[in-house]
Amino acid sequence: MVVDSEGIYPMRPNPRLEDHPAGDPIRSAQTQFNQAYCTLLQQLEQTFNGRPQAFGASMGTMYMLKGKAQSLLQTLDGDENTAGPTFEYVTPELRS
């Protein structure tokens, strides 16, 4: 297998929401990613715990999550690094 090094984003190591102040566009994008990520986890849990019809919705969420991650990875975050998803847990009542 050949790896195209031009396709590798120089993502900031171990990004966290706290890296950016409230209202910062990167923090807002990371928050939206986290909300979608936690929604996906909930949909998959439902799918594998007796609600297989939830799988269709989870596929849509997966594609949405991919787009959000790619957008973050294409956003400069200083020092020639790009932003990245933080994969932080968001409680259900705080998901939009």
Side-chain angles (χ1 to χ4, degrees):
M1 174 188 260
V2 177
V3 175
D4 177 11
S5 61
E6 294 295 316
I8 300 171
Y9 294 103
M11 187 182 90
R12 176 188 200 133
N14 197 27
R16 309 297 324 147
L17 284 177
E18 301 85 49
D19 295 341
H20 302 282
D24 183 278
I26 291 175
R27 184 176 181 142
S28 296
Q30 289 171 326
T31 298
Q32 291 173 13
F33 176 91
N34 290 338
Q35 290 171 344
Y37 173 66
C38 290
T39 296
L40 173 61
L41 294 179
Q42 182 179 29
Q43 290 168 335
L44 290 173
E45 179 183 29
Q46 291 170 350
T47 297
F48 294 109
N49 284 313
R51 289 196 53 229
Q53 64 274 21
F55 185 67
S58 71
M59 290 299 295
T61 304
M62 285 181 205
Y63 282 106
M64 177 180 57
L65 198 61
K66 176 185 175 184
K68 289 181 181 301
Q70 288 173 327
S71 178
L72 279 166
L73 290 167
Q74 294 170 0
T75 302
L76 289 178
D77 191 14
D79 299 332
E80 299 182 14
N81 288 324
T82 63
T86 65
F87 295 96
E88 294 175 70
Y89 183 74
V90 179
T91 59
E93 60 274 3
L94 296 177
R95 297 177 201 157
S96 53

